[in-house]
Amino acid sequence: MEKFVTRGQNKHSCANDARSPQKRMKLESDERIKEEEEEDATLAEFSHPVPWQKIEAEDLDCDYALLFSKEEADHLFKQLEEEVVYSTGEEAKVQVFGKVYNIPRKQATYGDADLTYTYSGVTRLAFPWTPTLEYIRDAVTKTTGHTFNFVLINRYKDGQDHIGEHRDDERELDPLCPIASVSFGAARDFIFRHRDARGKQTRRQIEPVKLELAHGSMLLMNSPTNTFWYHSLPVRRKITLPRINLTFRSIVVDRKK
DNA sequence: AAAACTTCATACCA
DNA sequence: GTGGTATGAAGTTT
């Protein structure tokens, strides 16, 4: 198997904040002293410092870390398996050029009141946050400093479940806010491909960036990654166990509606 | 373009 | 080296 790319040290850079992810936080206060107190409190909640890996390529900027211990990740996975309600019936199908297919994974959407998610032309309402989802969301916010109003959950029951190459819909997302992808269960390969290196007339030779997303991990996809890079979760026939992925996003509320 | 599936050439493994 | 299988890129579809 090809070597997976995981380069770089623990340095961090982001469009919104140049500090390291674990030290960044929501800037609600003008007072520096209060800010430092909050920073101490934030760090104290994670007894083991999170070792970050910076993943970089042309137009690509991601941070990867193990956010939860194995024990905590096991517990959260179990909770999610009990609590999350996935789409069924017509909502679990997708129509492509007139043909109807079962989506090769299960999907659920949770978030702040009245937020909607559109997939392949179909819009549906987010369920209200559950305590487990709020806990994970808040852990992500504490380590990244970014807040999120929505999460898309994808459950891949085994290695046959997958998702094809795509970018996350830029129209309804704040393009400057990162997307935080938290994984539980079976580790799966995750592939980035640059938009200029796809299709027949591949304009440029740009190597794909390949990662493995582990149980309890978080992948932060910073701007402008999602503009230039497609990503996919390919089939892996030997994998027999499920994976649950949560992608936390910041959806811009469209007042025109 | 969308987002699935299918096809086919190549890579990999025992 | 060989055969079976897994992978990934390209093709197909309205």
Side-chain angles (χ1 to χ4, degrees), chain A residues 8-22:
Chain A
Q9 302 304 311
N10 293 337
K11 290 197 305 184
H12 177 79
S13 66
C14 171
N16 299 336
D17 196 322
R19 288 177 288 172
S20 69
Q22 57 268 55

Side-chain angles (χ1 to χ4, degrees), chain A residues 15-46:
Chain A
N16 299 336
D17 196 322
R19 288 177 288 172
S20 69
Q22 57 268 55
K23 287 184 180 173
R24 280 188 286 117
M25 69 188 65
K26 195 175 161 193
L27 294 175
E28 289 178 328
S29 168
D30 297 333
E31 302 163 29
R32 178 161 297 163
I33 289 175
K34 180 157 186 232
E35 185 179 322
E36 286 174 0
E37 282 171 1
E38 287 174 352
E39 181 164 326
D40 290 343
T42 299
L43 292 172
E45 296 201 33
F46 294 90

